[in-house]
Amino acid sequence: MDSYSSDTDLVLFYELNATRASRGVYACAGTMFLNYDVVEGDSNEIEVKTYRSDSINGDYKPIPFSIQRQHIFEFMNNFYKNALMETLKDCSNLPVFKGDFVPPLEKRNYTLDNCVFTQEGFPHHIQDGYYKIAFNAFGDVEWSMIFYAIVENILR
């Protein structure tokens, strides 16, 4: 995992890491301090870009699994709700909701506590290789979180 913030007074990441949960399974942990409220109609947007490489030190090339730049609440009501929320509800203090997300996204520490991501909401057939998933945010502050993953066919 990697992170970046253009203004650490507004968004600060700390103690981000991946740990081995079991053979071939890794968990994510860490904290993001959001020092402002994200409100309806503001300029805070997010995009997700995904890349793949044949080797860990190779060239990462873009692949079509991405989410185009959109307001954070649109992201919350779609990808987050459909692909991430079920996994994160038991291992983080990120919002859990039914229906649509009700703003604001409040100023606070958001913590992942050894979250192991399921395959729900993600492509089920992808090529073996090294993947980089970049969450890039824009608006009051530019920030990013990058997750690295290895996909291997376990039936070899």
Side-chain angles (χ1 to χ4, degrees):
M1 295 172 57
D2 284 328
S3 63
Y4 163 79
S5 174
S6 65
D7 185 344
T8 55
D9 289 335
L10 293 178
V11 172
L12 176 65
F13 296 95
Y14 51 98
E15 298 178 4
L16 290 180
N17 61 63
T19 58
R20 186 174 170 173
S22 62
R23 185 170 186 248
V25 176
Y26 290 84
C28 297
T31 300
M32 172 185 170
F33 175 54
L34 181 65
N35 196 21
Y36 65 97
D37 290 338
V38 176
V39 297
E40 193 75 46
D42 67 13
S43 65
N44 290 287
E45 297 179 320
I46 193 165
E47 70 183 8
V48 180
K49 297 198 178 257
T50 307
Y51 307 86
R52 184 190 166 279
S53 174
D54 286 325
S55 68
I56 195 164
N57 296 320
D59 256 351
Y60 281 91
K61 300 202 177 357
I63 59 174
F65 303 117
S66 64
I67 298 170
Q68 65 185 352
R69 192 167 163 167
Q70 57 191 248
H71 193 274
I72 287 178
F73 296 149
E74 186 177 347
F75 171 82
M76 296 289 289
N77 286 321
N78 292 295
F79 182 74
Y80 173 81
K81 181 179 178 182
N82 297 325
L84 298 175
M85 189 168 69
E86 186 63 28
T87 293
L88 297 174
K89 70 180 174 108
D90 294 325
C91 63
S92 79
N93 64 339
L94 287 160
V96 175
F97 53 91
K98 292 183 192 239
D100 285 342
F101 176 74
V102 177
L105 182 60
E106 296 177 339
K107 167 184 172 175
R108 68 183 298 184
N109 278 325
Y110 290 97
T111 302
L112 300 177
D113 185 15
N114 294 317
C115 294
V116 176
F117 291 89
T118 67
Q119 294 180 11
E120 292 299 314
F122 293 97
H124 290 269
H125 302 286
I126 61 175
Q127 188 177 5
D128 284 7
Y130 296 85
Y131 288 82
K132 177 169 78 170
I133 303 106
F135 290 77
N136 302 309
F138 312 88
D140 292 328
V141 59
E142 291 185 13
W143 59 265
S144 64
M145 286 183 68
I146 301 172
F147 296 85
Y148 297 90
I150 301 170
V151 174
E152 296 177 308
N153 180 351
I154 59 173
L155 299 175
R156 288 184 202 186

